[in-house]
Amino acid sequence: MNEARAVARALDALRHGWAIRVHGDGGALDLLPAETGFAQPGLYAARLLISAARAATLKLANQRDAAVPEAPVIIHGAEPFSLNTARALADPARDLANPLRGPFRAEAIEAREAAVAAMEMARLAGILPAFLLSSGAEIAAEVSASDLAGFKDPLNLTIQARARLPVDACEEAQIVAFRARDDLREHVALVIGEQRGDRAPLVRLHSECLTGDILGSLKCDCGPQLDAALRAMAAEARDNEGWGVLLYLRQEGRGIGLINKLRAYELQDQGFDTVDANERLGLPSEARDFPVAARMLELLGVERVRLMTNNPAKVAALQAVGVDVIERVAHQLPANPHNARYLATKRDRTGHILK
């Protein structure tokens, strides 16, 4: 529990702009988040921790080095970095407005484990993966790389509440809310029809998408996929005496957060596809937490599933964490002029089956 609490405090500090100290094999790093950090008199730093993807843009890493875009790189500038210069350097969506000013050079990372953990915590906090090092700022929280592993343990997740919830697709539905210690994200499951232990349910893993689910965005197919999944589960319950489970995972933008997802949208408007946009931000194109989904199914007493997905990698990811996927059920909707490239990228670069 102490490990989860340490990470929760560090994430809260990052969101509010405070510096943190991250420990790991090889030493510790004092880090001030470039995006959220607040100005302090005389606050400058000679070094910046950024992603390998940003380092490649700065010609400090080759494509092989940047194959893991979220990997850490420490750079040294010709002049000390202020928060303003660090922010301009951290956000690729601002490159056209802020030409990169060097020269920069990369430095060896002795505290590599701490640096890797810091980049992961930036993603969990939903901020840009960029930090000023040795800034002299007051340290608000301390955390270790091993704390992060404990924080992400799916066994921390428990059921907190259940309620009957008639929905448009099916009046016989129940909502189940899950929460983990010290994690503000509250995942939910919607059980459609009567749960039957002897029959594998139709299951859909749906990652939160504010723009698609709520605002009706045409840039993705999330909203229509959500509606179609609920209708298919309702038909299963009505016609075949089956049932369904929709897992609504609070993992906006495939795990990179809403604001970073919108930054990726801005990069897409500059011509990058969805994968390249994420990578230029220094974030993985797939960062969803599938063990959390497996834990939700376990708590619901679901051992076997018929999974609605066009993504074979999702099937493999669930099977790898112990879910028995007995069938992949195709789940495809027509493209529109705004999401055709997005769907093509899923087909061509992330292995989705679109047919």
Side-chain angles (χ1 to χ4, degrees), residues 246-287:
L246 176 86
L247 300 184
Y248 196 85
L249 305 171
R250 305 297 299 278
Q251 301 181 144
E252 180 78 53
R254 290 176 172 255
I256 68 171
L258 175 62
I259 292 174
N260 281 329
K261 183 179 84 167
L262 298 185
R263 290 189 174 109
Y265 279 180
E266 188 174 357
L267 288 169
Q268 290 168 36
D269 289 341
Q270 295 177 18
F272 298 98
D273 67 24
T274 51
V275 173
D276 287 336
N278 277 35
E279 292 183 351
R280 286 185 71 85
L281 285 165
L283 298 164
S285 58
E286 175 58 88

Side-chain angles (χ1 to χ4, degrees), residues 11-49:
L11 293 177
D12 187 63
L14 292 179
R15 295 185 186 108
H16 288 87
W18 293 95
I20 66 171
R21 178 170 293 144
V22 185
H23 299 269
D25 290 344
L29 296 172
D30 289 355
L31 304 166
L32 182 70
E35 178 184 348
T36 57
F38 53 89
Q40 302 172 40
L43 179 60
Y44 290 90
R47 299 181 301 162
L48 196 67
L49 179 68

Side-chain angles (χ1 to χ4, degrees), residues 185-198:
R185 297 175 301 173
E186 296 168 332
H187 308 288
V188 299
L190 189 66
V191 179
I192 300 291
E194 181 182 348
Q195 182 168 348
R196 293 175 171 85
D198 59 344

